[in-house]
Amino acid sequence: MLTNINTNTDKKRIHGIDCIRGLSIIRVILLHICVHVPLGYSAISKLLPHKIFNIIFRSGYYGVMVFFVISGFLITSNTIKRWGSIDNVPYKTFYFIRFARIAPSLLALLLILSLLHILGIEWFVIQNTSLIQALFSALTFQVNWLEYQTNSHLPAAWDLLWSLSVEEMFYLFFPVICIFIKNRIIFIFVMLAFIALGPFARTVFSTNDNWLDHSYLSCMDGIAIGCLAALFATMATFNKDKILKWFLWSGIVMFSIVFFFRKLTYDIGLTKVGLKVTILEVSIAFILIAIAKNQIQLPKLRFISSSLRWFGKNSYEIYLTHMLIEIPLFATFYLVQNSFVLSSLWCLAIVILCGLVGQIVSKYYSEPMNKVLRYKYLVK
């Protein structure tokens, strides 16, 4: 037993944030469908306008960037709720909480993927490196670095671990930054340094396109933006009606410009200098501030919002397992690809099935393991 923690904090979920996570994980699922089946030649792409098709099926990278911002926001706000300030972080407890949340599902996935590789199952066999090296990289949060070194992608179900590598590498040093930088002003400047380096990492720090998108510094700016947004939301006191509406609508406008008008952002040079992603991340941070300070309800969209919250609540488990669901079903796409209705229902069925599997894993494995580990070792 290391120390006391506020166990009630983990039971309080912010519905609006879960909705955003739900939308993001659905975008990731749809992107991976588009990458691995010939959607571009199907009835869906023929009937949908090109811009709409891209928004629906080619926005998964944006979804991952949103996850980074949310992760930074939640880790900082929960740290302040549990321990009163970011400079009071007990590093042993912090690391154990992260382990209890991340490790059970990750270790189970790696066991399954290792068995599939050993059995020689198509789509799961590692080609350009060894199983031992892949496992070592996954467990030490270097999957993105391994893919850069080998100049190739791991099999699809392994490849998705690149984002977890970025996130957990940031949190490996988060308590160190909090403990040794007692001054909040210096902490803010450290986060601003990550934010400043992000656009350069996405454009000029490498000639490898995959590394430009998946390197640590290319994505850690989103986590840092989330951290600063949470710090601001915790410290700031202002007129909710006016300022929160400004944050909300400013965030929505910025997000819409980047997400829906991609050609415009390219034409005006935002993509070339790496600022398109930065603007997207800032827009999500603004929306998170508004949501966290004033719970936003969507009564007219109650079914949709509750569905998105369901996906968002299980987003980690869905993210880890969705390729295990998608891959066996890819071969059936040829049966429906010539029908817009059937191919659309096929995509919808995969999204729902991925959500159900994530829910099962969360309810019967990862959450019970999380609670056992936390209550057994952290609560006196």
Side-chain angles (χ1 to χ4, degrees):
M1 291 182 290
L2 301 173
T3 185
N4 286 313
I5 62 170
N6 181 1
T7 56
N8 291 325
T9 298
D10 304 311
K11 298 179 181 179
K12 297 178 180 179
R13 304 190 66 90
I14 301 175
H15 292 169
I17 293 179
D18 276 339
C19 283
I20 297 174
R21 283 204 286 205
L23 280 170
S24 298
I25 194 60
I26 290 172
R27 291 207 297 268
V28 171
I29 295 171
L30 293 175
L31 171 66
H32 289 156
I33 291 175
C34 184
V35 168
H36 294 108
V37 302
L39 271 183
Y41 301 95
S42 69
I44 292 179
S45 67
K46 292 176 182 177
L47 291 178
L48 284 179
H50 183 67
K51 290 183 179 180
I52 302 299
F53 181 86
N54 284 342
I55 288 171
I56 296 174
F57 291 102
R58 291 175 177 162
S59 301
Y61 180 72
Y62 295 97
V64 174
M65 295 302 107
V66 171
F67 275 125
F68 286 141
V69 180
I70 292 175
S71 182
F73 186 90
L74 291 179
I75 205 73
T76 304
S77 58
N78 287 338
T79 293
I80 294 172
K81 289 176 183 177
R82 288 190 184 109
W83 299 299
S85 175
I86 57 173
D87 54 9
N88 290 332
V89 179
Y91 67 93
K92 290 183 180 180
T93 304
F94 179 89
Y95 289 137
F96 201 91
I97 289 174
R98 294 301 298 171
F99 177 85
R101 178 69 183 107
I102 298 298
S105 294
L106 176 61
L107 293 175
L109 175 68
L110 293 178
L111 176 61
I112 293 171
L113 294 181
S114 298
L115 290 174
L116 292 172
H117 167 82
I118 293 170
L119 293 172
I121 305 299
E122 188 179 3
W123 286 86
F124 297 97
V125 177
I126 299 168
Q127 301 287 349
N128 297 315
T129 187
S130 67
L131 174 62
I132 297 300
Q133 185 62 54
L135 285 171
F136 177 78
S137 297
L139 293 171
T140 55
F141 312 123
Q142 301 179 69
V143 169
N144 55 338
W145 177 246
L146 175 64
E147 292 185 328
Y148 170 67
Q149 288 183 309
T150 60
N151 197 29
S152 62
H153 288 279
L154 292 172
W158 288 85
D159 177 62
L160 57 84
L161 296 176
W162 75 266
S163 62
L164 188 65
S165 296
V166 171
E167 183 179 357
E168 295 310 312
M169 189 63 74
F170 184 94
Y171 295 130
L172 188 64
F173 294 98
F174 181 81
V176 178
I177 297 172
C178 293
I179 292 169
F180 289 99
I181 303 178
K182 298 291 186 180
N183 190 309
R184 282 192 178 185
I185 300 299
I186 301 177
F187 176 85
I188 291 172
F189 274 106
V190 172
M191 295 299 107
L192 289 174
F194 279 113
I195 297 169
L197 290 171
F200 294 100
R202 288 188 286 271
T203 54
V204 299
F205 284 176
S206 175
T207 57
N208 183 296
D209 289 339
N210 186 57
W211 186 245
L212 289 175
D213 288 335
H214 294 174
S215 73
Y216 296 108
L217 289 178
S218 299
C219 305
M220 284 183 176
D221 63 330
I223 306 176
I225 287 171
C227 293
L228 290 183
L231 196 61
F232 176 81
T234 303
M235 296 173 58
T237 55
F238 40 69
N239 185 308
K240 288 185 178 182
D241 290 337
K242 293 183 179 179
I243 303 298
L244 289 180
K245 285 182 180 179
W246 182 88
F247 273 108
L248 177 62
W249 287 107
S250 296
I252 291 174
V253 169
M254 285 191 293
F255 178 85
S256 299
I257 291 172
V258 173
F259 189 77
F260 296 109
F261 302 98
R262 302 176 191 182
K263 188 177 184 302
L264 173 64
T265 60
Y266 181 84
D267 290 341
I268 63 178
L270 293 177
T271 303
K272 186 176 181 179
V273 296
L275 287 176
K276 179 177 72 172
V277 172
T278 304
I279 294 173
L280 177 82
E281 293 164 340
V282 172
S283 72
I284 296 300
F286 278 19
I287 294 171
L288 292 177
I289 291 171
I291 290 174
K293 297 293 284 187
N294 183 28
Q295 290 276 352
I296 296 174
Q297 302 295 332
L298 302 172
K300 295 182 180 179
L301 302 173
R302 190 165 297 164
F303 173 76
I304 295 176
S305 62
S306 61
S307 299
L308 291 176
R309 290 202 307 270
W310 178 72
F311 275 97
K313 182 180 178 181
N314 304 308
S315 57
Y316 174 61
E317 289 78 11
I318 295 172
Y319 185 78
L320 289 186
T321 61
H322 75 276
M323 291 308 303
L324 297 176
I325 310 307
E326 289 188 18
I327 289 172
L329 296 174
F330 286 157
T332 66
F333 184 69
Y334 79 95
L335 297 172
V336 300
Q337 63 182 348
N338 295 322
S339 168
F340 177 82
V341 173
L342 291 179
S343 54
S344 299
L345 291 174
W346 183 86
C347 292
L348 178 62
I350 288 183
V351 170
I352 294 173
L353 187 57
C354 290
L356 289 172
V357 172
Q359 161 74 5
I360 292 170
V361 173
S362 175
K363 184 175 181 179
Y364 296 106
Y365 175 67
S366 63
E367 278 305 311
M369 289 293 293
N370 185 12
K371 290 177 181 179
V372 167
L373 290 171
R374 290 196 190 194
Y375 281 79
K376 185 175 181 180
Y377 296 103
L378 294 178
V379 181
K380 292 182 179 180

